[in-house]
């Protein structure tokens, strides 16, 4: 596995992977508009988006972030791992990558918006394991040192 900065040639594979992941969670797969143009919605704004690729250069994970209005904090977006490859360290590798980058940008806090349903129990557990704290029913955060 390798983690790279998003490239447009992987857009369709990324979208397919996320739709599959949502379907595996029992959610009706829907398309997030930001995924149609990652460059415009993340990179051109000074934010970042990464994808994890397998040995065949297929997308198996993703994560991005956007800087909040105060410029000191960020919100994570689209941390997904291919549904049949969970619990193999891919999510942790992606989270470590984004956290390292955010620290280098001298940001203070990382926020995560979770879904409100029971299907997000894996996300709650994952983020808690990595030092995030719940501060609202569907929101978590981590203060960077």
């Amino acid at each position: 596995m390798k983690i790279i900065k998003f490239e447009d040639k992987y857009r369709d594979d990324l979208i397919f992977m996320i739709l599959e992941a949502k379907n595996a969670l029992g959610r009706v797969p829907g398309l997030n508009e930001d995924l149609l143009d990652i460059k415009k919605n993340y990179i051109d704004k000074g934010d970042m988006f990464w994808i994890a690729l397998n040995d065949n250069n297929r997308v198996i994970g993703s994560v991005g972030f956007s800087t909040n209005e105060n410029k000191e904090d960020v919100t994570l977006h689209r941390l997904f791992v291919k549904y049949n490859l969970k619990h193999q360290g891919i999510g942790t590798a992606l989270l470590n990558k984004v956290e390292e980058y955010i620290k280098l940008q001298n940001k203070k806090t990382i926020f995560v918006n979770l879904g409100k349903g029971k299907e997000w129990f894996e996300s709650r557990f994952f983020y808690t394991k990595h030092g995030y704290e719940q501060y609202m029913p569907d929101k978590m955060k981590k203060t960077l040192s």
Side-chain angles (χ1 to χ4, degrees):
M1 176 198 66
K2 61 185 171 185
I3 298 174
I4 65 166
K5 180 179 168 183
F6 177 80
E7 297 175 20
D8 285 334
K9 68 181 180 180
Y10 294 107
R11 186 190 83 152
D12 292 349
D13 201 24
L14 167 69
I15 290 170
F16 184 72
M17 184 272 302
I18 290 177
L19 291 174
E20 275 188 325
K22 287 180 177 182
N23 186 55
L25 289 170
R27 296 181 53 214
V28 175
L31 183 61
N32 301 92
E33 293 288 324
D34 62 312
L35 297 174
L36 295 175
D37 194 341
I38 300 247
K39 185 176 178 313
K40 180 182 108 185
N41 291 309
Y42 293 92
I43 297 163
D44 289 351
K45 293 180 177 181
D47 300 323
M48 191 60 82
F49 201 99
W50 293 270
I51 53 175
L53 301 173
N54 67 12
D55 293 339
N56 296 318
N57 281 331
R58 297 298 307 268
V59 177
I60 58 172
S62 64
V63 67
F65 77 87
S66 60
T67 302
N68 296 352
E69 224 173 271
N70 68 5
K71 304 290 185 207
E72 292 185 345
D73 304 326
V74 302
T75 300
L76 289 187
H77 300 284
R78 315 291 171 241
L79 178 54
F80 282 99
V81 172
K82 189 165 176 67
Y83 74 96
N84 61 344
L85 297 175
K86 289 184 175 185
H87 308 290
Q88 296 183 28
I90 299 165
T92 297
L94 285 161
L95 187 61
N96 288 341
K97 180 76 169 179
V98 72
E99 285 184 358
E100 287 169 20
Y101 185 88
I102 290 168
K103 283 180 186 176
L104 291 173
Q105 304 303 306
N106 295 314
K107 305 297 183 186
K108 307 277 186 227
T109 307
I110 301 174
F111 292 91
V112 179
N113 297 316
L114 301 175
K116 295 181 182 186
K118 295 181 291 189
E119 69 269 16
W120 296 103
F121 74 94
E122 281 185 315
S123 295
R124 290 183 207 292
F125 177 78
F126 174 80
Y127 286 112
T128 299
K129 183 174 85 171
H130 292 286
Y132 288 73
E133 298 175 350
Q134 191 166 339
Y135 68 96
M136 290 181 70
D138 60 340
K139 298 182 185 294
M140 300 185 85
K141 69 179 179 177
K142 181 177 185 178
T143 302
L144 301 173
S145 49

